[in-house]
Amino acid sequence: MRSQTEKAEAFRGLHARPGAFIIPNPWDAGTAKLLAAMGFEALATTSLGLANTLGSATVSLDAILENCRAIAEATDLPVSADLENCGADDPKVAARAIVRAAEAGAVGGSIEDFSGDPAKPIYDFSLTVERVQAAVEAARALPFPFTLTARAENFLHGRKDLDDTIKRLQAFEAVGADVLYSPGLYDIETIRAVVSSVGKPFNLVMGFADPTLTLPQLAEVGVKRISVGGAMERYALAAFLKCAREMKERGSFTYVREMAPIAEVRAAFV
């Protein structure tokens, strides 16, 4: 197994090389191993995928970190942790989540400006920047190059304000974030506008973007990293529900014809 420093340096290298790369989102050790066996070069956790597996609409920071540890220990790949708002409003308290993610085996992680409060879902600009700056300082104090991703969540929470989103991403870049991320961007022209407004690598999540877009198209407009968030886990749930409906409504089991080959699964789990 590679050391954490070696994983961290490999992860940085993916962001520095030409073109874009895909970082899929497993939700447990098994899916992490399957993705590694297919040749992906890095993994990212998904808090939504985790919440769904736990049967909950939300998930605690402790649960996120436990899941991160399981995924990080499952393979030799670099892992970036979806830390949501890092479990706290206060910048210094939130920044501790970066250290805890590193202790769980992650070599990267994110902090976002979604507060979790339905009445006021997006943190005020000044607090948002303070939180990212505190997270940057925590990441820089680690003994390896932790890749910090800063997320502007406007488009996911009813604030389709492109100017404010760009303003936030530029501020995150100015205080030292390594990767910038704005989930909810859909069309290629909006994606191009955002990517061209910043100088750091940009992560696009395809769970909310135009599904006809391809890796070459996104690379052409400057996207560096492409994740899928909870999309694969939700697709797996769709298959599960399809199987359940067939049994419940028709009393049949034809879905077994499409099961994953057990030999392929076992080969990944060795």
Side-chain angles (χ1 to χ4, degrees):
M1 292 287 285
R2 290 184 288 184
S3 69
Q4 193 168 23
T5 297
E6 289 171 332
K7 292 179 183 180
E9 291 173 347
F11 195 46
R12 283 293 178 98
L14 294 176
H15 294 82
R17 74 186 186 189
F21 70 96
I22 297 173
I23 181 168
N25 302 77
W27 52 94
D28 59 15
T31 50
K33 289 184 176 184
L34 288 168
L35 291 167
M38 294 185 70
F40 287 99
E41 298 175 276
L43 304 172
T45 68
T46 163
S47 61
L48 174 60
L50 173 61
N52 289 343
T53 65
L54 297 176
S56 174
T58 60
V59 63
S60 69
L61 179 60
D62 286 344
I64 286 172
L65 293 168
E66 181 181 351
N67 178 247
C68 178
R69 185 182 302 279
I71 289 172
E73 291 177 351
T75 82
D76 204 27
L77 297 181
V79 172
S80 183
D82 172 4
L83 299 171
E84 296 193 335
N85 76 336
C86 289
D89 301 328
D90 180 83
K92 291 183 179 179
V93 178
R96 294 176 194 160
I98 303 302
V99 178
R100 294 183 66 192
E103 292 171 347
V107 297
S110 61
I111 183 169
E112 62 190 46
D113 61 2
F114 173 55
S115 67
D117 179 0
K120 192 176 182 181
I122 304 297
Y123 289 116
D124 290 339
F125 179 79
S126 59
L127 177 58
T128 291
V129 176
E130 287 179 30
R131 284 164 44 80
V132 173
Q133 186 168 18
V136 167
E137 291 171 358
R140 297 296 173 266
L142 293 170
F144 63 87
F146 187 96
T147 298
L148 182 79
T149 298
R151 300 173 44 146
E153 301 282 301
N154 277 340
F155 275 68
L156 286 191
H157 299 283
R159 290 180 44 159
K160 295 191 177 182
D161 187 333
L162 187 59
D163 290 340
D164 182 65
T165 297
I166 290 173
K167 176 184 176 182
R168 287 168 180 260
L169 294 173
Q170 289 175 336
F172 301 163
E173 179 176 7
V175 297
D178 301 302
V179 177
L180 305 170
Y181 185 176
S182 180
L185 303 183
Y186 184 81
D187 62 279
I188 195 69
E189 291 308 318
T190 302
I191 295 165
R192 186 195 307 270
V194 172
V195 173
S196 65
S197 73
V198 296
K200 292 288 183 69
F202 184 83
N203 183 105
L204 181 77
V205 59
M206 283 303 299
F208 301 100
D210 177 357
T212 67
L213 295 174
T214 64
L215 176 66
Q217 288 174 313
L218 293 169
E220 191 275 329
V221 300
V223 172
K224 176 57 64 175
R225 195 173 84 188
I226 303 166
S227 60
V228 293
M232 292 179 72
E233 194 271 345
R234 289 171 64 193
Y235 186 87
L237 283 179
F240 176 88
L241 290 170
K242 181 180 177 182
C243 298
R245 289 191 182 104
E246 180 182 348
M247 291 188 292
K248 178 66 175 175
E249 297 170 7
R250 294 167 47 193
S252 61
F253 311 89
T254 62
Y255 65 85
V256 300
R257 298 172 185 153
E258 300 177 32
M259 293 188 297
I262 192 63
E264 182 179 358
V265 173
R266 284 180 175 166
F269 291 173
V270 171

